[in-house]
Amino acid sequence: MRSYKKMYLYLFNAISEAVAELEQGNTAAAENLLKEAQSESEDMLIKVLEE
C-alpha cells in the first residue's frame, strides 16, 4: 500500500508542476514533465509488482 501512496504523490506533484507550466504557456515543458512522470511511475509500478 505504501508504494502506491508514493506513486500517487509523485504523479500528483508532477501533474501540479505541469499545470503550472501550462498556465505560463510552457506547453513543451508541461509535456516533458508528464512524459517523465508517466515513465517513472511505470517503473515504480513494475518494481512493486516484482516484490
Side-chain angles (χ1 to χ4, degrees):
M1 179 72 140
R2 176 170 256 176
S3 297
Y4 289 104
K5 183 177 180 180
K6 182 179 177 180
M7 283 186 287
Y8 171 81
L9 292 174
Y10 177 81
L11 285 172
F12 180 85
N13 288 332
I15 291 167
S16 296
E17 290 176 24
V19 168
E21 291 292 345
L22 288 172
E23 289 173 342
Q24 295 177 13
N26 300 326
T27 55
E31 180 181 5
N32 290 336
L33 284 167
L34 293 171
K35 286 180 178 179
E36 182 180 322
Q38 179 185 23
S39 177
E40 182 65 27
S41 62
E42 287 172 351
D43 290 343
M44 291 172 152
L45 180 60
I46 290 168
K47 288 178 184 175
V48 167
L49 295 176
E50 289 176 345
E51 293 178 350

